[in-house]
């Protein structure tokens, strides 16, 4: 059962003070205070209360033009993860203490990651872990060790940008989905097809793509390949 969490102004103020860098979560929580959001959250709780429903829906529940759409929220800490789960996120993405580009977030220790994944899974919510650095030679041994740890923790997907790290992930933990990060500059449908042939389940669009370009990608890739797109947030990469 989901725990009720009353988001009164003092709670929002506390969140803004402690998690100012995670503006997307704060905006999400503020929105959830209105009447429509309360009704929507109640419907989501009813959906998640049915284990059969959760099993049948890989990405629990939003429909748009007949295609299921997942609400994915960033979580900078274990507390933010739990709040996002309680307020109806379908999935959250998090970073560990190394090999991810969420450098300004508090990020997760191995112990916090294990607790967060367990909590999310108990509520029918998925967890994706960023391993999206562009690795140098010295990074590679540590990346292999980190992927072994993630294999034990069993997140639902890894978010990866570097082809070398992708190769390691497919070798070490092939049972975990690989999603290609926006950091990989995914701007055309041939790039999507390339990653699909290598085994990627999802590719995150480059931030600068227009809706027209995203529609063209959707029309030119396999139906079972997923597209993820940011709807809020700053540009986050510069070219060499």
């Amino acid at each position: 059962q989901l725990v009720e969490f009353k988001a009164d102004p003092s709670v929002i103020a506390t969140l803004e003070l402690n998690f100012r860098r995670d503006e997307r979560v704060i905006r999400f929580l503020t929105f959830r205070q209105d009447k429509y959001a309360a009704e929507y959250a109640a419907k989501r709780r009813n959906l998640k209360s049915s284990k059969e429903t959760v099993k049948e829906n890989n990405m629990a529940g939003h429909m748009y033009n007949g295609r299921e759409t997942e609400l994915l929220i960033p979580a900078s800490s274990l507390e933010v993860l739990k709040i996002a789960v309680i307020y109806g996120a379908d999935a959250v993405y998090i970073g560990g203490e190394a090999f991810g580009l969420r450098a300004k977030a508090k990020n997760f220790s191995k112990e916090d990651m294990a607790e967060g994944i367990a909590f999310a899974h108990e509520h029918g919510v998925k967890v994706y872990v960023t391993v999206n650095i562009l690795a140098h030679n010295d990074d590679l041994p540590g990346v292999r060790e980190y992927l072994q740890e993630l294999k034990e923790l069993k997140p639902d997907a890894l978010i990866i940008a570097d082809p070398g790290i992708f190769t390691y992930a497919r070798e070490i933990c092939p049972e975990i989905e690989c999603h290609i990060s926006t950091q990989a500059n995914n701007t055309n449908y041939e790039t999507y097809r390339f990653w699909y042939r290598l085994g990627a389940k999802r590719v995150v669009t480059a931030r600068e793509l227009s809706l027209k370009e995203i529609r063209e990608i959707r029309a030119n890739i396999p139906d079972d390949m997923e597209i993820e797109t940011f709807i809020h947030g700053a540009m986050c990469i510069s070219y060499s």
Side-chain angles (χ1 to χ4, degrees):
Q1 294 294 320
L2 287 173
V3 178
E4 287 291 343
F5 184 93
K6 297 187 180 299
D8 58 45
S10 65
V11 173
I12 295 297
T14 300
L15 290 168
E16 288 176 339
L17 177 66
N18 292 315
F19 308 114
R20 190 176 300 276
R21 292 192 181 98
D22 237 311
E23 290 183 13
R24 282 163 288 188
V25 172
I26 301 303
R27 288 173 183 270
F28 176 65
L29 291 173
T30 304
F31 165 78
R32 290 288 175 173
Q33 292 181 91
D34 67 28
K35 181 180 178 182
Y36 166 78
E39 293 173 353
Y40 174 79
K43 290 178 181 177
R44 297 288 292 119
R45 285 196 295 274
N46 290 336
L47 177 67
K48 288 176 180 178
S49 68
S50 167
K51 292 183 180 179
E52 290 297 321
T53 303
V54 171
K55 278 185 180 179
E56 291 172 7
N57 290 280
N58 291 331
M59 297 189 306
H62 306 281
M63 297 299 295
Y64 182 75
N65 287 343
R67 184 180 295 278
E68 195 171 43
T69 303
E70 178 184 75
L71 178 61
L72 173 62
I73 303 295
S76 59
S77 68
L78 181 58
E79 186 172 4
V80 173
L81 178 150
K82 291 181 177 181
I83 292 169
V85 168
I86 289 167
Y87 273 79
D90 296 316
V92 296
Y93 70 90
I94 65 177
E97 294 175 323
F99 308 118
L101 292 180
R102 290 183 56 74
K104 292 184 178 180
K106 291 184 177 180
N107 291 323
F108 285 67
S109 66
K110 183 178 179 181
E111 293 74 22
D112 282 351
M113 196 177 291
E115 183 177 344
I117 291 170
F119 181 86
H121 287 175
E122 286 169 5
H123 295 83
V125 174
K126 293 187 174 185
V127 180
Y128 309 144
V129 178
T130 58
V131 195
N132 59 344
I133 65 164
L134 299 176
H136 288 245
N137 293 332
D138 291 345
D139 296 316
L140 295 178
V143 167
R144 292 190 67 92
E145 293 178 10
Y146 186 51
L147 291 172
Q148 289 285 359
E149 291 181 4
L150 293 177
K151 181 181 179 73
E152 297 173 8
L153 294 174
K154 296 181 173 59
D156 298 282
L158 306 176
I159 301 174
I160 295 171
D162 187 284
I165 295 178
F166 181 89
T167 302
Y168 283 175
R170 300 305 294 162
E171 172 195 336
I172 294 168
C173 43
E175 70 281 6
I176 301 177
E177 288 184 5
C178 286
H179 297 176
I180 305 305
S181 171
T182 188
Q183 308 290 348
N185 308 314
N186 308 302
T187 57
N188 65 79
Y189 55 77
E190 287 296 351
T191 296
Y192 278 67
R193 290 172 175 174
F194 168 82
W195 285 114
Y196 182 80
R197 287 192 295 269
L198 291 178
K201 173 72 172 177
R202 177 187 301 189
V203 174
V204 186
T205 62
R207 298 288 187 96
E208 62 270 24
L209 291 192
S210 66
L211 286 173
K212 177 177 180 292
E213 290 174 300
I214 296 171
R215 289 189 189 102
E216 289 173 348
I217 290 172
R218 178 72 271 168
N220 287 280
I221 62 174
D223 287 342
D224 61 341
M225 187 175 200
E226 298 172 357
I227 296 176
E228 181 183 317
T229 299
F230 281 84
I231 59 172
H232 175 78
M235 302 292 281
C236 61
I237 190 168
S238 59
Y239 290 86
S240 175

